[in-house]
Amino acid sequence: MTKLKSAIDKILITISSSLLVMMVSLSIWQVLARYVFNISSPGTEELTRHLLIWFGLLTAAYVFGVKKHIGILFFREKFNRKVQRAFEKVSDLIILGIASTLMVYGGLKIVLLTSAQTAAATGISMAWVYAALPTSGLFIIIYTIISLMSKDTKETEEVNG
């Protein structure tokens, strides 16, 4: 299971990094095109926005998988380790239900509803844009199943701000 998790981690971080590089490149080109070359580049803003959706959702799935997401630890830390593990398993089951219902099932319905729509400037099917939701939901489900099957639970780091 750890090999599968490591492979998914590498895939998601590679895709997210590539999306970030593409967004930065498109943004730089858009600024150069507008202010230096004095030409219009209408598709770059729309494409950057679509890439941002994919970047945000896939990165959220990765952060979820490595358990660096925000967690409310106040109540959990009041209990012993055995109860904490039980809380973690119950929360994993709730997350499994929410991710499969809202993100995958709902996301697939949105993809089907928007399959005939195209983006104005680029002509990209909106189904491709909205496909980020069920895709990230599947990764979250896989991570949650891995978490449920793992015998030991690691301490969740508290986010200091």
Side-chain angles (χ1 to χ4, degrees):
M1 277 303 192
T2 57
K3 286 183 181 181
L4 174 64
K5 185 182 176 310
S6 294
I8 293 172
D9 288 347
K10 286 179 185 174
I11 290 168
L12 286 177
I13 205 72
T14 302
I15 293 171
S16 294
S17 300
S18 300
L19 290 172
L20 185 60
V21 168
M22 285 190 278
M23 287 187 303
V24 169
S25 300
L26 286 170
S27 297
I28 290 170
W29 166 250
Q30 187 174 10
V31 169
L32 287 173
R34 183 175 294 154
Y35 294 109
V36 176
F37 303 122
N38 204 21
I39 58 174
S40 176
S41 184
T44 57
E45 181 182 347
E46 189 174 272
L47 187 57
T48 303
R49 189 171 45 248
H50 298 328
L51 292 174
L52 180 63
I53 292 168
W54 274 91
F55 173 78
L57 287 168
L58 290 179
T59 303
Y62 170 75
V63 169
F64 185 87
V66 294
K67 299 215 180 254
K68 298 291 184 187
H69 52 81
I70 295 174
I72 302 172
L73 306 175
F74 179 75
F75 293 111
R76 191 188 81 174
E77 290 176 348
K78 300 282 184 200
F79 298 98
N80 65 32
R81 192 71 187 131
K82 187 175 181 181
V83 174
Q84 289 179 14
R85 283 190 197 123
F87 279 159
E88 188 172 335
K89 297 301 179 187
V90 168
S91 70
D92 281 347
L93 291 172
I94 292 169
I95 290 167
L96 195 60
I98 290 171
S100 52
T101 304
L102 295 179
M103 295 182 79
V104 176
Y105 177 73
L108 287 173
K109 288 187 81 98
I110 289 173
V111 168
L112 292 174
L113 285 171
T114 60
S115 62
Q117 296 176 2
T118 57
T122 58
I124 296 172
S125 172
M126 292 304 291
W128 285 105
V129 177
Y130 289 111
L133 188 60
T135 303
S136 66
L138 285 173
F139 283 117
I140 288 173
I141 288 170
I142 292 168
Y143 278 130
T144 305
I145 291 170
I146 291 170
S147 176
L148 281 168
M149 293 176 71
S150 71
K151 300 217 186 275
D152 61 327
T153 55
K154 295 180 182 174
E155 288 290 326
T156 306
E157 288 184 18
E158 185 175 348
V159 177
N160 297 320

